[in-house]
Amino acid sequence: MPARIAVTGADGRMGREVIAAANDRDDCDVALAVNRSPVDPVEGVAVDDATNLPALLADSDPDVLVDFTGPDSSVEYVAAAAEAGVACVVGTTGFDDEQEAALADAARTVPVLRASNFSRGVAALRRAVSEAAAALPGYDVEVTETHHNAKVDAPSGTALTLLDDIEAARPELDERVHGREGDSPRTDGEIGVHARRAGDIAGEHEVLLAGDENVLELTHRAGSRRVFAAGALDAAAWLAGRDAGAYDFTEVLE
């Protein structure tokens, strides 16, 4: 049976992509879609008022909620899903410590799968970056990410994940320097971090490693948001029916 999904932020960039992608798949059906403000049907799916989400979840009984909204609304939606016994796939980023704790609390009740990026290409990039960072001790490292001009959090969640991967491979790199201005030579132990916001760019991430007469650049570019929607639906289909707990996208890929 296909996984029945509830989509939050149905009129957002990713909400629309998730609904459109689900319509083209046999393993997922959109059981419910909600939005903060009134909106016409999205890809043929009626959109309800997000303030009524708890009652809507009870009525429609979806298997998995898929959320790409914002930190405040995401925590609210996940709490409602946990109360209704609905699993959650969360692609939202930018949570503070209190919100992280709320998501962890929900995972004690229902399965919650979170990822800063649902692209299979980014999963491969992460593996390559970890291996390269470990294989090139002493090399300088810079991380640059580029997204559309409406993205709120910076650096992106994916960039932060890549930085965590680099620091795990190279523990001596323990200082993140965001941008450069004025007198700013590189110092030992730093990773340069740069965020760019422009146009409607779906997402680009580049890791540069440079040593003496050697430069390695590892880059991922998302051609559209469809790749993230596809990965999120892969995760939703995989997560449906699993035990409560915190899950990661790498588990889906493996």
Side-chain angles (χ1 to χ4, degrees), residues 9 37 56 61 64 82 87 95 105 120 135 148 155 158-159 172 174 187 199 202 210 226 233 242 245 249:
S37 56
L56 292 166
D61 191 28
V64 185
F95 297 104
D105 186 60
R120 291 175 179 268
H148 57 87
T158 304
E172 77 277 11
D174 57 3
T187 59
R226 285 192 296 273
L233 291 175
R242 293 190 181 270
F249 189 48

Side-chain angles (χ1 to χ4, degrees), residues 42-65:
V42 173
E43 300 291 336
V45 176
V47 179
D48 291 298
D49 186 345
T51 59
N52 298 326
L53 182 61
L56 292 166
L57 289 171
D59 289 342
S60 60
D61 191 28
D63 298 306
V64 185
L65 180 141

Side-chain angles (χ1 to χ4, degrees), residues 74-84 88 102-103 106:
S74 182
V75 168
E76 177 186 335
Y77 296 148
V78 169
E83 182 70 22
C88 299
L103 295 174

Side-chain angles (χ1 to χ4, degrees), residues 3 15 20 26 82 88 91 100 124 133 136 162 168 184 190:
D26 295 328
C88 299
E100 291 281 357
L136 300 172
L162 289 168
S184 186
E190 77 171 54

